[in-house]
Amino acid sequence: MSSASADSLDTVLATRLETQRERQRYRLRVTTGTASKKGGHLIREGQETLAFCSNDYLGLAGDPRLAESLAEGARRFGTGGGASHLVCGHSEAHEQLETRLAELTGCQRAVLFSSGYQANLGVISTLLGRGDIALHDRLNHASLLDATRLAGARIERFAHLDAADCETRLSALDADRRRLVITDGVFSMDGDSAELDALATHCERHRAWLMVDDAHGFGVLGALGGGTREAQNLDPSGIAVTVGTLGKAFGTQGAFVAGSETLIDALIQFSRPYIYSTSLSPALAWATLTSLDIVRDEPERRAHLFSLIERFRHEASSLSEFDLHLMPSATPIQPLVIGPSWSTTEAGRLESHQGGNEAAALALAEELERAGLWCSAIRPPSVPAGTSRLRFTLSAAHTHEDIDRLLSALFTAAHRLSSARSTLA
Ligand SMILES: *Cc1c(COP(=O)(O)O)cnc(C)c1O
């Protein structure tokens, strides 16, 4: 430790970066255009690419109507908030957007944050402190765990999607402590959804609070785009804290927390990440009002998206013949898990320090890249060892032809790589 600290800052960091490159985990690509133009097409490092990795689920990030209201909002309210909300950065645009988000979530009130990461930090650090307990679904988003650590609260975990396990663990916890049960609405790496009704029942029985981060559900799920709760017909009163981002289906940026009048009032007065940060751009808040209109008035976007999901799942299920397996996801997040037989592939031998199936995920993603397609190869530590996967996100910006192109490239790549494997065996 002492010798490391004597090294220059660049030497210390260069070593870490080198390891990252060796593990093929070094990331960052430059793009031009947005994934919503011409059905998910964008230019990556000079090359036309069809992207299946954006969270722009409704194709709104490049919608000219949003660009127009962003410009109008900038002219009316300015590009920047100019100050934090409590000083003088809280505009009429913010106020209107908060009212609309309360309506969308079915909650009494909502408050804006500059990002989902900040919203999670803002809520958890206000509700919990040392000695309190956050009970997480095992696959919760990293921002929820980071927020709990910064709050100094104890982290407990229950098995993924397992409401019964959550209840067992709640029973074992000290009821005199504050206990916050936290779950994603839709899980970002698996695409599956929490069973909110059961969690709400257990929380009520044990007098714990339920927090749902539905970053991937809002705008996409439910007849009105009201997210996982709406899709599951659950009364909003069962959920104490709801978090959503504006950077995914709504196509802009920022985030919100929704809940009771008292919760929101307390966040505004006590949440340090809210108080000590410049307000979200009022121009973006204004543009997001247009985005909420579109989410409400154009349900055909959701209908189109779900027809793409159905087409993809119907065809891609046959990839199991190559030991590539769709996960049971009914959302635009569609992971394809690399099965155990890939552990001994040619690709698997290339990088001896990686599990074979990690290398196979990379090799498949590279094959797709050569065919002009862009998806993410997700490997540990983002997912458990042995479950490396390709993760495809579908968007209303895609066409049925785009899905067919993806499927055809996937079958070609799977076929080519598995033949390479059998010649080696
Ligand atoms: C994307 C995401 C966030 C972060 O939201 P940003 O607005 O991008 O900061 C938080 N929670 C979950 C579950 C997410 O998927």
Side-chain angles (χ1 to χ4, degrees):
M1 207 59 210
S2 57
S3 72
S5 62
D7 288 334
S8 79
L9 178 146
D10 279 359
T11 311
V12 172
L13 296 181
T15 310
R16 275 179 70 183
L17 285 166
E18 195 43 49
T19 313
Q20 189 79 345
R21 282 199 186 84
E22 277 167 13
R23 291 183 179 158
Q24 294 181 273
R25 285 191 183 150
Y26 185 90
R27 302 184 295 176
L28 188 60
R29 317 286 290 261
V30 181
T31 64
T32 319
T34 74
S36 53
K37 281 203 188 113
K38 285 203 292 137
H41 290 260
L42 46 79
I43 311 291
R44 181 180 65 184
E45 291 161 357
Q47 293 207 298
E48 175 93 17
T49 307
L50 179 56
F52 289 95
C53 46
S54 123
N55 301 316
D56 181 21
Y57 298 122
L58 297 179
L60 293 181
D63 193 296
R65 292 168 292 179
L66 265 70
E68 195 43 54
S69 41
L70 183 63
E72 187 194 308
R75 284 190 293 268
R76 281 177 69 163
F77 305 98
T79 45
S84 63
H85 286 274
L86 299 193
V87 176
C88 58
H90 189 70
S91 75
E92 194 196 323
H94 296 113
E95 194 65 21
Q96 281 191 30
L97 180 55
E98 288 175 347
T99 305
R100 290 286 304 276
L101 289 167
E103 279 165 29
L104 178 78
T105 53
C107 294
Q108 286 176 356
R109 197 171 165 193
V111 60
L112 289 167
F113 281 81
S114 297
S115 73
Y117 192 102
Q118 192 196 21
N120 284 334
L121 185 56
V123 177
I124 297 177
S125 64
T126 304
L127 298 185
L128 302 181
R130 238 160 257 295
D132 299 328
I133 303 152
L135 181 51
H136 286 267
D137 181 290
R138 192 163 278 287
L139 297 189
N140 272 352
H141 192 259
S143 61
L144 293 163
L145 289 166
D146 291 1
T148 309
R149 287 190 190 103
L150 283 159
R154 201 169 102 207
I155 296 178
E156 295 278 338
R157 290 184 164 95
F158 61 93
H160 180 50
L161 299 186
D162 191 339
D165 187 46
C166 175
E167 148 116 279
T168 308
R169 287 169 196 272
L170 270 177
S171 313
L173 295 176
D174 182 352
D176 292 333
R177 298 287 186 193
R178 293 180 183 180
R179 288 142 302 133
L180 181 65
V181 171
I182 309 176
T183 185
D184 285 16
V186 173
F187 287 84
S188 46
M189 293 302 141
D190 291 39
D192 45 10
S193 306
E195 215 188 304
L196 297 183
D197 199 7
L199 291 175
T201 305
H202 299 323
C203 285
E204 191 181 357
R205 182 174 314 133
H206 292 276
R207 291 185 299 109
W209 307 327
L210 178 59
M211 169 170 174
V212 180
D213 175 354
D214 206 11
H216 296 278
F218 279 110
V220 174
L221 301 179
L224 300 173
T228 307
R229 182 201 61 76
E230 191 202 342
Q232 297 182 2
N233 274 317
L234 178 66
D235 191 89
S237 64
I239 303 169
V241 185
T242 297
V243 177
T245 179
L246 305 174
K248 290 175 179 155
F250 298 110
T252 59
Q253 196 180 357
F256 59 92
V257 179
S260 70
E261 180 68 40
T262 311
L263 169 75
I264 303 307
D265 220 9
L267 290 174
I268 292 170
Q269 298 304 320
F270 306 129
S271 174
R272 293 170 64 87
Y274 181 79
I275 296 170
Y276 296 104
S277 188
T278 302
S279 63
L280 174 74
S281 154
L284 272 171
W286 193 248
T288 308
L289 284 164
T290 301
S291 147
L292 287 182
D293 289 343
I294 298 174
V295 165
R296 181 193 56 206
D297 300 339
E298 299 181 4
E300 61 272 22
R301 286 175 179 268
R302 283 185 287 281
H304 173 61
L305 174 59
F306 280 92
S307 76
L308 299 176
I309 295 169
E310 196 184 309
R311 187 187 195 99
F312 177 76
R313 288 189 65 81
H314 183 258
E315 299 295 327
S317 61
S318 314
L319 285 163
S320 58
E321 84 178 82
F322 297 104
D323 200 20
L324 299 170
H325 307 278
L326 277 181
M327 294 189 77
S329 159
T331 69
I333 300 170
Q334 291 293 328
L336 185 69
V337 175
I338 317 294
S341 69
W342 288 89
S343 306
T344 54
T345 60
E346 175 192 13
R349 288 177 201 157
L350 294 176
E351 293 288 336
S352 52
H353 60 277
Q354 291 189 338
N357 99 1
E358 286 188 50
L362 277 178
L364 275 167
E366 279 160 19
E367 284 278 317
L368 293 180
E369 185 171 335
R370 278 191 280 278
L373 298 160
W374 190 0
C375 70
S376 319
I378 313 270
R379 297 162 290 152
S382 302
V383 293
T387 71
S388 289
R389 64 197 66 176
L390 296 183
R391 176 180 178 272
F392 304 100
T393 51
L394 308 192
S395 163
H398 291 126
T399 61
H400 284 277
E401 292 70 41
D402 291 336
I403 303 300
D404 290 347
R405 204 176 130 197
L406 169 63
L407 287 162
S408 141
L410 257 174
F411 277 93
T412 308
H415 191 263
R416 227 188 60 79
L417 286 182
S418 30
S419 321
R421 168 176 60 176
S422 34
T423 18
L424 262 177

